[in-house]
Amino acid sequence: MAIERTLSIIKPDATRRNLTGKINAKFEDAGLRIIAQKRIQLTKAQAGVFYAVHKERPFYDELCEFMASEPVVVQVLEGENAITKNREVMGATNPADAAEGTIRAEFAESVGENSVHGSDAPDTAKDEIGFFFSQLEIVG
Ligand code: ADP
Ligand code: MG
């Protein structure tokens, strides 16, 4: 299996409830290493660029507003099959469908306020990591 890197975001609903450490423990327990991490406050415009792929969706405006509502923690996770593994640890987008023990099953408040973002493929992982981190900030 290949060692991969993926972009993770701990979303405002989770930072607001002081869940950063509990969520990070889920990543580390699954064998994912946090090789870069910073807490930032996004503007709505920056959230809009990050989520541009969803701009035609009905929830786009609400999503951008939410992502700019409180600080987020952006991180690079590294490990075997990190992209898929992270999606497994996160659970389904809608917490009502998320498997037991996943981050979204335990912590998400709704389909929109669902505690974490994770890249969905190698090309998006590369782009999303580059959106938030310079090479110097990633120490693998
Ligand atoms: P995921 O984050 O699981 O990859 P998507 O890429 O489909 O899910 O959607 C991006 C984000 O948009 C979701 O994590 C969630 O915050 C929000 N979202 C998705 N679907 C809905 C919806 N039906 N209503 C409100 N917000 C949504
Ligand atoms: Mg997605």
Side-chain angles (χ1 to χ4, degrees), residues 21-71:
K22 287 200 172 89
I23 290 173
N24 280 347
K26 294 271 194 196
F27 297 139
E28 293 182 338
D29 288 348
L32 293 164
R33 303 179 69 82
I34 301 162
I35 61 167
Q37 175 167 259
K38 58 191 174 188
R39 181 175 163 103
I40 60 171
Q41 173 69 57
L42 287 172
T43 64
K44 190 176 173 186
Q46 288 167 335
V49 174
F50 180 76
Y51 274 121
V53 65
H54 293 306
K55 66 175 180 296
E56 307 304 332
R57 310 279 285 276
F59 55 80
Y60 178 67
D61 193 66
E62 179 193 331
L63 175 61
C64 297
E65 193 86 47
F66 165 59
M67 291 300 286
S69 66
E70 301 256 1

Side-chain angles (χ1 to χ4, degrees), residues 53-124:
V53 65
H54 293 306
K55 66 175 180 296
E56 307 304 332
R57 310 279 285 276
F59 55 80
Y60 178 67
D61 193 66
E62 179 193 331
L63 175 61
C64 297
E65 193 86 47
F66 165 59
M67 291 300 286
S69 66
E70 301 256 1
V72 296
V73 175
V74 294
Q75 12 181 231
V76 181
L77 307 180
E78 184 181 77
E80 278 187 4
N81 255 339
I83 297 166
T84 302
K85 185 176 285 177
N86 181 40
R87 299 287 312 191
E88 285 168 8
V89 174
M90 289 164 61
T93 307
N94 186 340
D97 302 328
E100 201 180 329
T102 61
I103 291 168
R104 283 166 165 171
E106 274 186 37
F107 303 124
E109 301 201 294
S110 65
V111 65
E113 306 207 358
N114 59 3
S115 303
V116 279
H117 166 86
S119 309
D120 59 9
D123 56 337
T124 48

